Amino acid sequence: GNSVTQMEGPVTLSEEAFLTINCTYTATGYPSLFWYVQYPGEGLQLLLKATKADDKGSNKGFEATYRKETTSFHLEKGSVQVSDSAVYFCALISDSNYQLIWGAGTKLIIKP
Amino acid sequence: IAGITQAPTSQILAAGRRMTLRCTQDMRHNAMYWYRQDLGLGLRLIHYSNTAGTTGKGEVPDGYSVSRANTDDFPLTLASAVPSQTSVYFCASSAGRGTEAFFGQGTRLTVV
């Protein structure tokens, strides 16, 4: 079946550090891939997405590239800020149904 | 634009009581979902609906029921609440296959 695996947290970085949160997936066909962010006390918001191989999603300085050869969708940001502290979820939707498959979430803590 | 509205925002409920969590969307999305989130991580799918008039069971359906009488509303009912149902509940919707989900702000439920 379809699945998403992302790195365990918490990830703790200093402000202006480089961020990578790994995400790999297992899926049949050609899924769409997503990163969602959840700030403390809030619901989930779509951060970025990619719908086909080699697509790069980007938003708010975050980027992720859909790598079909390595079945990965790693989230990166060149210089993190304290305001980026949140929980980040990697997810996929199969192209054959409506079902969102979620990673376990990675808590990111940025220290000033 | 309201998006997805959940009610109530929070609730303390006595064990054994019946409770309905409300979810309404104004985006005319076909698919709707109910998730629970424990310990600030890890979304688990309770029930889903691919279109009005149909529902399906997710990963953790026991103790919960849903209905989808129309496109906009997708209520979640706890027939007889138990303490293990203490959680944050999120409703979400998506337009169709391969499209991202939009989330409500959540309902924090405490069963005592």
Side-chain angles (χ1 to χ4, degrees):
Chain A
N2 298 336
S3 67
V4 174
T5 302
Q6 60 182 105
M7 64 190 294
E8 289 188 24
V11 173
T12 303
L13 296 172
S14 297
E15 206 166 20
E16 299 184 2
F18 184 87
L19 168 71
T20 300
I21 300 178
N22 290 337
C23 172
T24 58
Y25 68 90
T26 301
T28 56
Y30 301 92
S32 296
L33 303 174
F34 307 90
W35 277 101
Y36 282 81
V37 59
Q38 185 180 30
Y39 298 104
E42 297 186 10
L44 280 77
Q45 305 172 27
L46 179 66
L47 180 60
L48 53 84
K49 67 177 182 181
T51 58
K52 61 182 187 296
D54 299 326
D55 267 2
K56 177 184 285 187
S58 61
N59 186 26
K60 299 181 181 181
F62 290 90
E63 293 183 340
T65 301
Y66 188 160
R67 302 286 189 199
K68 193 165 178 64
E69 65 275 14
T70 54
T71 62
S72 65
F73 193 55
H74 304 322
L75 182 68
E76 297 180 336
K77 186 174 185 182
S79 177
V80 293
Q81 306 300 313
V82 171
S83 58
D84 293 327
S85 298
V87 180
Y88 292 81
F89 292 90
C90 186
L92 70 82
I93 292 182
S94 166
D95 60 355
S96 61
N97 60 45
Y98 294 97
Q99 296 303 311
L100 261 175
I101 307 297
W102 294 91
T106 302
K107 185 173 185 177
L108 176 64
I109 301 169
I110 307 300
K111 296 187 173 181
Chain B
I1 298 176
I4 295 183
T5 302
Q6 290 185 236
T9 303
S10 66
Q11 181 75 45
I12 299 174
L13 186 67
R17 297 295 297 269
R18 180 184 179 91
M19 173 80 187
T20 295
L21 308 185
R22 299 185 298 279
C23 175
T24 299
Q25 53 111 351
D26 62 3
M27 298 174 282
R28 307 301 294 172
H29 284 172
N30 286 322
M32 297 188 75
Y33 313 86
W34 273 106
Y35 292 91
R36 60 177 288 173
Q37 185 180 36
D38 302 313
L39 301 176
L41 291 176
L43 291 163
R44 292 188 291 172
L45 182 66
I46 304 170
H47 286 285
Y48 65 92
S49 169
N50 286 340
T51 189
T54 69
T55 62
K57 294 182 179 180
E59 181 185 356
V60 288
D62 293 343
Y64 305 94
S65 63
V66 291
S67 61
R68 188 86 184 277
N70 57 61
T71 297
D72 297 344
D73 300 302
F74 191 46
L76 176 74
T77 297
L78 289 68
S80 179
V82 295
S84 62
Q85 292 177 311
T86 294
S87 188
V88 180
Y89 291 85
F90 288 101
C91 180
S93 71
S94 69
R97 287 178 180 164
T99 61
E100 66 266 32
F102 295 83
F103 282 78
Q105 288 297 99
T107 295
R108 184 175 295 276
L109 181 66
T110 303
V111 181
V112 297

